[in-house]
Amino acid sequence: MISPLVLSETIKSWKEVDHHYKKNKIDIFNLQESQIEKLKIYKSLPEDFANLEDVQKKKEIFFLIVYPMIYKINQNIKIERQRIEDIQKKFKNKTISGNNIQELEELAKKYKLNKGPIDRNLFKKLLQRINIIPVSLALGQAIIESGWGQSRFAIKGNALYGQWTYDQQQGLIPEKRDTNKKHVVKKFTSLQDSVKSYMFNINTHPAYKDFRIVRRLTSALRLTSTAVNYKIQYLAAYAEIGQQYVDKLELILETNNLKRFDKFN
């Protein structure tokens, strides 16, 4: 099922989010598949979100804003993955067309793979990169990197994942940045662009190659109950603190029961 989620205008208050979901009787902690079409995509965080102090309400609003974007982008990735699988079947049956080859080359370029022969190895590489990010992991990292959506980077730059750039015009300077460092936290035109960039980074950057391999193997072995735990271990490269980051991410997933959001992956 592909959700017809649509982009919403920027909202001024978190109360607008709260009102929409109460009106539609949607409990994000007990979401039903039939309710997905009523989820909204918000362009930016509410202007007053940083002032929301009620911890439970803050968490609920955060999930209501971030979950739909993660779900939607994963659905888009699934569409691309299905195209690869369909073309792979044609390749095996020797019915692959010129248009199919062009599509493979375009996806290989998009996902930063070197152009090579159309063979089994290319399909393996493409399928290893074009795959979803577990919702629980994407939520957990957004929680850590954005401070539950209340960080300056999230509010002013739509940056949920603290991605770096060295283009000073495209980011916000971290307040505690070392004087000898030049990075800034990348700004985005929308929250959805931030989520999309994060997923693309995990699916293409050399630092996360082991994560992608483990994701492929756990999927092939159908290790659904423990797959997320295996994958977390290969995200140490996401932050300078390394293993401490992994430990923090594991704690966030456990204390907030984030794996419950994986049921519609």
Side-chain angles (χ1 to χ4, degrees):
M1 173 185 174
I2 303 302
S3 169
L5 300 172
V6 294
L7 185 66
S8 173
E9 294 298 317
T10 302
I11 49 176
K12 292 184 177 182
S13 176
W14 60 266
K15 294 178 182 179
E16 296 176 52
V17 180
D18 197 39
H19 174 72
H20 169 75
Y21 286 105
K22 282 183 177 177
K23 182 180 69 175
N24 287 284
K25 298 180 180 179
I26 293 175
D27 176 5
I28 192 63
F29 301 113
N30 189 32
L31 185 67
Q32 305 301 309
E33 190 168 15
S34 61
Q35 298 174 320
I36 288 178
E37 63 181 19
K38 294 180 181 178
L39 299 181
K40 274 193 174 184
I41 299 289
Y42 295 103
K43 185 177 181 181
S44 298
L45 288 161
E47 295 174 7
D48 63 350
F49 190 57
N51 301 322
L52 178 57
E53 296 181 353
D54 184 314
V55 175
Q56 287 307 117
K57 181 58 67 174
K58 175 182 69 175
K59 290 184 176 184
E60 180 186 0
I61 298 299
F62 179 84
F63 291 137
L64 287 169
I65 292 173
V66 180
Y67 173 86
M69 295 182 291
I70 295 171
Y71 173 85
K72 178 183 178 182
I73 295 168
N74 268 339
Q75 294 303 307
N76 291 340
I77 292 172
K78 284 182 177 181
I79 292 172
E80 289 185 325
R81 184 176 177 84
Q82 186 61 54
R83 284 300 301 146
I84 297 298
E85 292 175 342
D86 291 343
I87 295 173
Q88 185 179 37
K89 291 177 183 177
K90 292 182 179 181
F91 172 77
K92 290 178 179 178
N93 295 330
K94 297 182 180 181
T95 58
I96 191 169
S97 68
N99 287 337
N100 294 151
I101 292 173
Q102 182 180 351
E103 190 171 358
L104 283 177
E105 291 175 344
E106 289 173 353
L107 283 170
K109 182 179 180 181
K110 174 181 176 179
Y111 282 89
K112 299 183 178 181
L113 287 171
N114 294 327
K115 183 179 179 181
I118 307 298
D119 56 17
R120 292 175 62 185
N121 192 44
L122 175 62
F123 286 105
K124 178 182 176 181
K125 289 179 178 179
L126 282 168
L127 290 172
Q128 186 161 285
R129 292 196 176 204
I130 305 175
N131 205 346
I132 65 168
I133 307 298
V135 175
S136 55
L137 287 186
L139 282 173
Q141 290 194 266
I143 289 168
I144 292 173
E145 298 297 333
S146 74
W148 287 97
Q150 294 186 318
S151 72
R152 178 170 64 96
F153 306 119
I155 298 293
K156 293 186 177 180
N158 290 317
L160 292 173
Y161 293 95
Q163 291 179 274
W164 288 9
T165 179
Y166 290 92
D167 185 340
Q168 303 298 309
Q169 304 301 315
Q170 298 296 318
L172 298 168
I173 299 174
E175 292 178 353
K176 296 181 180 180
R177 184 182 68 178
D178 293 342
T179 55
N180 63 328
K181 293 189 176 181
K182 303 296 182 183
H183 70 276
V184 293
V185 174
K186 188 175 181 181
K187 295 185 295 186
F188 296 90
T189 56
S190 70
L191 293 171
Q192 189 172 199
D193 286 343
S194 174
V195 178
K196 189 182 300 182
S197 178
Y198 152 76
M199 289 192 176
F200 184 76
N201 186 39
I202 296 294
N203 279 336
T204 60
H205 197 286
Y208 309 114
K209 181 179 179 181
D210 287 344
F211 170 88
R212 295 190 293 270
I213 291 173
V214 169
R215 176 175 60 184
R216 173 173 59 83
L217 294 176
T218 54
S219 177
L221 295 172
R222 301 183 184 280
L223 299 174
T224 53
S225 62
T226 55
V228 172
N229 300 76
Y230 285 127
K231 293 165 188 172
I232 290 175
Q233 299 303 318
Y234 296 91
L235 290 172
Y238 203 88
E240 291 181 303
I241 58 175
Q243 184 58 41
Q244 292 179 45
Y245 183 82
V246 170
D247 294 341
K248 189 174 184 179
L249 184 55
E250 287 182 325
L251 183 62
I252 288 289
L253 262 72
E254 182 179 347
T255 57
N256 292 281
N257 190 20
L258 296 186
K259 290 181 185 178
R260 60 185 152 178
F261 293 105
D262 289 328
K263 62 181 178 179
F264 299 130
N265 262 345

